[in-house]
Amino acid sequence: MLALSAVIVYLFYNALQPKKMLPVYQPSMVDKSLVDSTLHYTKKYHKVADFSLVNQNGDTITQENYKGKIYVADFFFTTCQTICPIMTDHMVQIQKEIINDDEVMLLSHSVTPEIDTVAQLKRYAKKKGVIDKKWNLVTGD
């Protein structure tokens, strides 16, 4: 009887736990100096604009490469010595977790396209263990 009670309590406890969800940050929720002025008062449903950038292999990557996918995006530069290596290491961990999930991809945008050429991105990708089918490091305007 005690075992049955413990199982019931456990099931209720798990059923009542709030579902963990990733936060969605809108432009109005972050420091205005980090957001384009046209988006300062956007409170909901901001979408990433169409883009056409070049990845570590010299391929053009657009939103069509990510259509119907969930993707984790970040912004970095290959010569960064502070937060970027930590963020990239976190992306590597995510890549390991999603490697067999065709619905999830990664996208890292360089914020220094004048430095982060295709060749530089390729060297960085090799050093960090980027798997091309899962993760694009992109550069461009």
Side-chain angles (χ1 to χ4, degrees), residues 73-114:
D74 73 342
F75 297 85
F76 80 112
F77 57 106
T78 60
T79 56
C80 171
Q81 298 297 311
T82 56
I83 190 67
C84 302
I86 296 167
M87 290 188 332
T88 301
D89 289 345
H90 288 171
M91 293 290 270
V92 168
Q93 290 302 315
I94 294 168
Q95 178 182 248
K96 287 178 185 174
E97 293 294 323
I98 65 166
I99 195 65
N100 294 317
D101 189 339
D102 293 337
E103 300 296 316
V104 185
M105 294 177 65
L106 304 174
L107 179 63
S108 293
H109 301 262
S110 170
V111 296
T112 58
E114 63 281 356

Side-chain angles (χ1 to χ4, degrees), residues 9-107:
V9 168
Y10 174 79
L11 291 174
F12 272 109
Y13 177 78
N14 283 332
L16 296 174
Q17 289 296 315
K19 185 176 179 184
K20 293 181 181 179
M21 299 190 60
L22 290 173
V24 176
Y25 294 100
Q26 300 298 333
S28 64
M29 298 166 67
V30 297
D31 183 329
K32 288 184 179 190
S33 68
L34 301 174
V35 178
D36 183 286
S37 63
T38 62
L39 300 174
H40 281 181
Y41 301 102
T42 301
K43 293 191 183 287
K44 285 185 103 175
Y45 308 120
H46 171 67
K47 301 289 183 194
V48 174
D50 289 352
F51 60 91
S52 179
L53 301 164
V54 179
N55 76 356
Q56 68 269 22
N57 299 311
D59 299 327
T60 299
I61 302 298
T62 70
Q63 64 281 354
E64 288 300 312
N65 295 92
Y66 290 86
K67 189 173 185 173
K69 305 281 185 190
I70 298 167
Y71 67 97
V72 178
D74 73 342
F75 297 85
F76 80 112
F77 57 106
T78 60
T79 56
C80 171
Q81 298 297 311
T82 56
I83 190 67
C84 302
I86 296 167
M87 290 188 332
T88 301
D89 289 345
H90 288 171
M91 293 290 270
V92 168
Q93 290 302 315
I94 294 168
Q95 178 182 248
K96 287 178 185 174
E97 293 294 323
I98 65 166
I99 195 65
N100 294 317
D101 189 339
D102 293 337
E103 300 296 316
V104 185
M105 294 177 65
L106 304 174
L107 179 63

